[in-house]
Amino acid sequence: MNKNENPLVSITFNIALPVVILNYSSRLFPDVNPIITLCVALSFPVVYGLTDYFKNNKHKNVLSILGTINILLTGGFALFTLEGVWFAVKEAAIPLLIGCWVLFSGFTDKPLMKWVVDKSSIFQTSDIAFRLDSQLKRQSYKALLKRATLYLSYCFFFSAVLNFIVGIKIFAQKSVLSDIEKQNLLNEQIADMTWISFLVIGLPLTVISGWTLWWFINRLRKLTGLSLEQIIFTGEKASSNGKSVH
């Protein structure tokens, strides 16, 4: 994730603007073709995602890329007026793919949790590495990273199931409506799915990732014998032992 990303700007472009446009344009501008409304609404997250992608040449935001693909698929499904079940499948597919990637990383030399520890600014990696002074401890640390990564993957699988269930509920059949009415209803359904999906993915991810981080730090304290202040950077000068976590 881009460290310089403004969460408020991200939510505005990816959630707020599309939801407002899709929900209220048909009431405020009834003469505007609902397909044009859909294209305008989805252009905001697409432009934001592409800007984020090309702005960060070194560290590509995988979640932003998947989010942009998701938006493009939404537009494509809507233009081809596919049935609601396909939208439900699509909404479940993104967290499912992320979960599979996180799960797979747990069985490699670079599990996601290792990336979190090494790249984030909160862990005092040199102090942690200094205490991993035996082969047994290093092996235990690798097992700890793997287990924490697996816990994170479960969150995305849970979100995928919830997204599918919510998608089936939201994207109801529209066979008794006219073409214009169907498209207007579909726009409103996409708006509902946009903000509900944000909550369905965001809340479990926040809770489970927070619990996983708490669990990981406590296990790391027992493994290394370090205090919380020695593991987490608190703003004071951290000790430097010139080693990195392997």
Side-chain angles (χ1 to χ4, degrees), residues 30 69 94-95 224 241:
I69 294 174
I94 297 300
T224 60
N241 296 297

Side-chain angles (χ1 to χ4, degrees), residues 152-199:
L152 289 175
S153 72
Y154 299 155
C155 170
F156 291 102
F157 293 138
F158 181 63
S159 293
V161 173
L162 288 181
N163 259 8
F164 182 79
I165 295 173
V166 173
I168 289 292
K169 296 286 186 181
I170 289 179
F171 291 101
Q173 296 296 321
K174 306 173 287 296
S175 56
V176 298
L177 303 176
S178 67
D179 290 342
I180 294 295
E181 289 173 330
K182 284 182 182 180
Q183 190 61 55
N184 279 325
L185 176 60
L186 181 58
N187 285 356
E188 293 178 4
Q189 290 172 335
I190 292 173
D192 290 340
M193 192 69 211
T194 298
W195 70 266
I196 292 176
S197 179
F198 174 75
L199 295 179

Side-chain angles (χ1 to χ4, degrees), residues 30 38 40 52 80 82 84 102 107 114 123 128 135 145-146 149 158 163 170 208 229-231 239:
L38 175 68
V40 171
D52 180 76
F80 286 101
L82 296 181
V102 174
F107 296 92
K114 175 175 171 54
F123 286 94
I128 295 172
Q135 184 63 24
L145 290 173
K146 176 180 177 180
T149 298
F158 181 63
N163 259 8
I170 289 179
I208 297 178
E229 291 75 16
Q230 291 172 311
I231 292 176
S239 62

Side-chain angles (χ1 to χ4, degrees), residues 45 54 62-63 66 78 86 88-89 112 124 150 156 163 172 207 215:
F54 289 110
V62 177
L63 295 181
L66 289 176
W86 289 107
V89 170
L112 178 65
Q124 302 197 55
L150 296 183
F156 291 102
N163 259 8
V207 173
W215 173 87

